[in-house]
Amino acid sequence: MADTGGIGLTKKKDENFGEWYSEVVVHGEMIEYYNISGCYILRPWTMAIWETMQAFFNAEIKKMKIKNCYFPLLVSPAVLEKEKDHIAESEVAWVTKYGKSDLKVPIAVRPTSETVMYPYYSEWIRGHRDLPLKLNQWCNVVRWESSNPTPFIRSREFLWQEGHTAFATKEEADKEVLEILELYRRIYEEYLAIPVVKGRKSENEKFAGGLYTTSVEAFVPNTGRSVQGATSHCLGQNFAKMFDITYENEKGEKAMIWQNSWAYSTRTIGVMVMVHGDDKGLVLPPKVASIQVIVIPVPFKDADTQAIFDACSKTVEELSEAGFRVEADLRDNYSPEWKHSHWELKGVPLRIEIGLKDLEKKQVVCVRRDNSAKVDIPIVDLVKEVKDMLDKIQQNLFDVAKQKRDASVQVAGTWDEFTVALSNKKLILAPWCDEQEVEEDVKARTKGEIGAAMSLCSPFDQPQLPEGTLCFASGKPAKKWTYWGRSY
């Protein structure tokens, strides 16, 4: 029975977060590095998580009468030119050759799809009966990041969904913005067990082509950095004017549509790894784990090995029939101890061990990945107890993450309090005058090697702002509470 050492991590989360993260996503079999910088192979362990979120989101948007479609990957420069103020030119990748011949006109690889889709919205929308038009596509996009690429968080190619909708009225558009944002909150909190703040971006941080941007913001306490988890934009009528998307309303008058766009990407998976992972590896929430339960035989020299293996197979069968995602590791060239470490590294929420004594006692041993708690479970109660434990693991992961996030929130009323909180890697809640020049000044004054502080969002759930409260940065009357900090 082989015991191959070295499957554990060599870096600790609290000591070298960046290298720990790189080890976790590779050794946990989430990704593999590719031979083009900033591009990564998404392995089945990752895709299973993505597909779970995709299934949830697809079902919910279809309830909203949003339909899936697919638009081409390639964008003509003439069309992309219309959106030059909204995208970073340095991030656009170009196709310049076919075979050994040069293209007469280079073709861009989509960095986003507004300019790809909206010329056709202009053709498809003629009258008020053509509205609303609500489309979503699941696709890849390419943005040639020049800063240090990080798997999931900042990569040159990533998977996402992008919704693009058109309405007759602003009220309809406003309503959908918040409905979609709530779905993003549910993905993070209910599936990935990550607490987020829902709020509105500042004028500086909103999507440049939009009327306003809402987002869900997550936080990684170990690095003191926020992550923009997903965005839901009201585009207003900016793109309608740009692409002449008009319709004849019920009065027979020419009118301009109102538009939204919204997206979340595989970045969600990186946030999950950062928030829940530990020094043993990944810690996966049961709702998204490819395997929720791993069953491991624990044979002894003189034990009836076949009987133990049969019990493992029966356990898998019973739990599978009950709807759980479960497998048995019956490989005979690895020790039980090696298997324990292997499946802990991969983050499987629950481990079931079955040995000779367990057969005699008609029980199994269950070990939780989130807190290492070990408990004996009678076989007759197996399905009920496993369901209960997985529910508790899911809730506990969220509770622990929220406790750590909340402990990282620091209220700062003055500039001095703000800078101290920033140096202590806090998520800062501060009263702000809501002036763009002040926000730009905060960025300039905090700029350094590890990045400047920025406004993250103004939460919809606003704490009371006492009369006379002053902006932490300018000393002017404050208009709102806003979260600030460094961000990925």
Side-chain angles (χ1 to χ4, degrees):
M1 191 176 285
D3 244 339
T4 61
I7 69 163
L9 305 179
T10 64
K11 306 299 179 185
K12 294 191 179 297
K13 187 176 184 179
D14 289 339
E15 294 174 5
N16 191 328
F17 186 87
E19 291 189 28
W20 166 86
Y21 178 75
S22 295
E23 280 195 349
V24 168
V25 293
V26 172
H27 296 322
E29 299 179 359
M30 300 286 284
I31 64 114
E32 188 61 74
Y33 282 88
Y34 192 56
N35 61 7
I36 296 175
S37 176
C39 298
Y40 308 96
I41 299 164
L42 303 185
R43 300 185 66 179
W45 209 240
T46 287
M47 290 307 296
I49 296 169
W50 182 244
E51 286 168 354
T52 297
M53 294 189 291
Q54 189 178 37
F56 161 75
F57 194 76
N58 253 336
E60 292 299 320
I61 62 175
K62 285 176 181 178
K63 292 177 188 174
M64 298 168 65
K65 308 303 181 188
I66 296 165
K67 295 179 171 62
N68 282 322
C69 64
Y70 184 79
F71 280 73
L73 173 70
L74 303 175
V75 191
S76 71
V79 171
L80 195 67
E81 176 72 15
K82 289 192 174 185
E83 203 178 356
K84 64 180 181 179
D85 295 334
H86 309 142
I87 55 178
E89 285 188 51
S90 61
E91 292 183 0
V92 179
W94 294 89
V95 179
T96 59
K97 284 181 175 288
Y98 66 98
K100 294 184 179 180
S101 304
D102 292 332
L103 285 174
K104 289 182 180 179
V105 179
I107 298 172
V109 182
R110 69 169 160 237
T112 182
S113 295
E114 282 83 3
T115 56
V116 178
M117 300 171 78
Y118 296 166
Y120 299 93
Y121 280 40
S122 180
E123 291 185 17
W124 298 339
I125 297 171
R126 292 288 185 224
H128 63 89
R129 292 183 182 85
D130 298 323
L131 293 171
L133 177 60
K134 302 195 281 186
L135 301 180
N136 175 69
Q137 70 170 351
W138 298 89
C139 62
N140 62 339
V141 290
V142 173
R143 296 180 184 175
W144 213 255
E145 296 277 0
S146 55
S147 56
N148 294 330
T150 303
F152 298 117
I153 298 297
R154 192 169 289 279
S155 55
R156 287 177 171 164
E157 179 191 9
F158 54 88
L159 302 181
W160 74 351
Q161 61 69 218
E162 51 176 326
H164 296 271
T165 53
F167 301 92
T169 66
K170 182 174 182 292
E171 289 73 24
E172 292 173 280
D174 289 338
K175 181 173 180 285
E176 187 201 63
V177 164
L178 297 181
E179 288 174 342
I180 293 294
L181 195 70
E182 173 61 11
L183 293 184
Y184 292 151
R185 180 201 66 79
R186 290 181 62 190
I187 285 172
Y188 273 94
E189 297 196 345
E190 295 179 14
Y191 282 79
L192 300 175
I194 297 169
V196 291
V197 174
K198 292 200 296 186
R200 182 162 169 160
K201 290 285 190 181
S202 69
E203 285 298 302
N204 275 1
E205 296 299 330
K206 75 175 185 180
F207 174 50
L211 181 62
Y212 64 86
T213 292
T214 66
S215 68
V216 289
E217 301 285 333
F219 186 73
V220 182
N222 290 77
T223 62
R225 289 183 182 272
S226 177
V227 185
Q228 180 178 283
T231 50
S232 184
H233 315 284
C234 178
L235 302 179
Q237 297 181 314
N238 295 343
F239 285 93
K241 292 171 185 173
M242 198 183 301
F243 291 96
D244 191 27
I245 312 176
T246 59
Y247 70 100
E248 188 177 281
N249 65 20
E250 292 173 344
K251 298 177 181 177
E253 301 165 338
K254 186 178 179 181
M256 199 154 278
I257 64 163
W258 293 83
Q259 288 176 273
N260 293 338
S261 70
W262 28 270
Y264 81 94
S265 74
T266 38
R267 169 178 272 208
T268 51
I269 297 172
V271 181
M272 178 201 70
V273 175
M274 289 181 165
V275 169
H276 298 312
D278 61 21
D279 291 342
K280 293 179 181 179
L282 297 167
V283 180
L284 300 181
K287 276 195 173 183
V288 296
S290 175
I291 299 174
Q292 296 172 312
V293 183
I294 188 71
V295 182
I296 297 176
V298 187
F300 292 92
K301 290 180 182 178
D302 300 325
D304 184 350
T305 302
Q306 191 56 51
I308 294 172
F309 276 37
D310 289 346
C312 289
S313 298
K314 187 177 180 182
T315 299
V316 169
E317 184 180 345
E318 184 178 351
L319 291 175
S320 295
E321 287 178 358
F324 300 105
R325 298 186 290 276
V326 55
E327 291 185 12
D329 189 343
L330 303 179
R331 293 175 290 179
D332 60 6
N333 59 328
Y334 294 108
S335 70
E337 291 75 23
W338 186 93
K339 293 177 184 179
H340 295 170
S341 297
H342 173 71
W343 293 108
E344 282 181 341
L345 177 58
K346 286 175 69 71
V348 172
L350 192 63
R351 182 174 81 239
I352 290 180
E353 302 169 6
I354 301 177
L356 183 61
K357 289 183 180 179
D358 301 308
L359 286 182
E360 293 170 353
K361 295 180 180 179
K362 297 182 179 180
Q363 66 176 31
V364 298
V365 178
C366 292
V367 185
R368 285 172 54 162
R369 176 64 183 88
D370 62 325
N371 61 12
S372 301
K374 182 182 284 192
V375 62
D376 297 335
I377 299 296
I379 289 175
V380 293
D381 298 331
L382 183 64
V383 170
K384 175 181 175 297
E385 291 293 338
V386 165
K387 181 184 184 307
D388 186 53
M389 269 188 279
L390 291 176
D391 288 345
K392 286 179 178 176
I393 292 168
Q394 184 79 28
Q395 187 62 47
N396 185 57
L397 285 173
F398 178 81
D399 291 344
V400 170
K402 188 173 186 301
Q403 181 183 3
K404 289 180 180 178
R405 193 278 310 268
D406 291 350
S408 299
V409 176
Q410 183 78 48
V411 176
T414 66
W415 180 256
D416 287 344
E417 291 174 355
F418 179 85
T419 55
V420 169
L422 190 65
S423 65
N424 289 330
K425 298 182 178 180
K426 298 296 185 181
L427 175 60
I428 305 164
L429 183 62
W432 180 38
C433 61
D434 197 17
E435 293 184 11
Q436 287 180 260
E437 297 79 8
V438 173
E439 182 178 5
E440 289 164 3
D441 186 53
V442 170
K443 272 189 176 181
R445 291 164 73 183
T446 57
K447 194 173 183 180
E449 287 186 10
I450 58 174
M454 58 193 289
S455 73
L456 305 172
C457 75
S458 297
F460 293 142
D461 186 11
Q462 282 277 313
Q464 185 179 0
L465 188 67
E467 191 174 343
T469 300
L470 301 179
C471 171
F472 78 98
S474 67
K476 298 177 182 179
K479 295 180 180 177
K480 61 169 73 169
W481 289 96
T482 299
Y483 280 104
W484 299 77
R486 293 191 171 96
S487 182
Y488 281 101

